[in-house]
């Protein structure tokens, strides 16, 4: 079984029109029939990869060689995505070696935010670094380019383009 959702080529019969078609996307759901699965269920399983800026905003501060970055979800549903996908390890990896020390993640469920404390993130500290803009604010702007999977059912709630 499969559900057709756009463009592609595969040569199987389209489950929606029952006609053999080419040039459409096909989402393969299972090798056998799935009882009680409708088109809405199929679309709910689709995901879109988007930049973090579409689901959250960030604020930051710095002290010495430590940056403190908080990521705030725009919607409660987005907060659950952040908790599962934006781990301390993936946060650190996103900066490709710029953060030299440990990254700690704190979950702030009451305000639907994640707080990251990145040690060794500022090249020795603002007053010791020769970098032009080595403040925590630059790091908070950079995390907004992190990519996150958003289920199709939540795409309507995304901000921006």
């Amino acid at each position: 079984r499969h559900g057709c959702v756009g463009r592609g080529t595969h040569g199987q019969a389209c489950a929606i029109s029952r006609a053999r078609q080419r040039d459409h996307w096909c989402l393969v759901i299972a090798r056998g029939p799935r009882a009680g699965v409708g088109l809405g269920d199929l679309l709910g399983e689709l995901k879109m990869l988007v930049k973090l800026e579409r689901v959250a905003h960030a604020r930051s501060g710095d002290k010495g060689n430590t940056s403190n970055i908080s990521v705030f979800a725009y919607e409660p549903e987005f907060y659950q995505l952040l908790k599962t996908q934006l781990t301390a390890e993936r946060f650190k990896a996103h900066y490709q070696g710029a953060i030299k020390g440990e990254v700690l993640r704190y979950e702030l469920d009451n305000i639907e935010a994640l707080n990251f404390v990145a040690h060794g993130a500022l090249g020795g500290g603002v007053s010791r670094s020769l970098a032009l803009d080595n403040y925590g604010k630059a790091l908070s702007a950079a995390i907004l380019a992190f990519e996150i999977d958003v289920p199709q059912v939540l795409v309507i709630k995304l901000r921006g383009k």
Side-chain angles (χ1 to χ4, degrees), residues 47 52 55-56 71-87 90 105 107-114 116 146 148-151 153-154 157:
K47 294 189 186 229
L52 183 63
V55 301
V71 178
F72 298 87
Y74 289 135
E75 301 287 340
E77 299 89 348
F78 294 158
Y79 179 56
Q80 295 307 313
L81 298 175
L82 293 177
K83 283 173 69 171
T84 58
Q85 296 182 50
L86 188 55
T87 64
R90 291 185 72 196
R105 183 183 93 161
E107 297 176 2
L108 307 169
D109 294 337
N110 57 334
I111 58 173
E112 296 165 348
L114 298 176
F116 295 90
F146 182 86
I148 188 166
D149 283 320
V150 176
V153 296
L154 295 178
K157 294 186 174 196

Side-chain angles (χ1 to χ4, degrees), residues 69 90-99 103 118 136 138-144:
I69 301 169
R90 291 185 72 196
F91 179 92
K92 184 175 181 177
H94 179 74
Y95 292 100
Q96 302 175 350
I99 299 174
V103 173
L139 294 177
S140 71
I143 197 61
L144 295 177

Side-chain angles (χ1 to χ4, degrees), residues 15-70:
I16 298 171
S17 68
R18 302 280 184 216
R20 186 176 171 114
Q21 297 185 15
R22 300 179 74 203
D23 198 31
H24 64 280
W25 290 104
C26 180
L27 172 66
V28 177
I29 300 302
R31 294 200 183 274
R34 288 174 56 182
V37 176
L39 183 59
D41 296 323
L42 298 178
L43 292 176
E45 293 179 17
L46 293 176
K47 294 189 186 229
M48 178 185 285
L49 189 63
V50 301
K51 292 189 185 280
L52 183 63
E53 66 187 9
R54 304 221 29 218
V55 301
H57 69 277
R59 302 289 296 169
S60 66
D62 52 69
K63 185 69 172 175
N65 198 23
T66 302
S67 180
N68 184 344
I69 301 169
S70 294

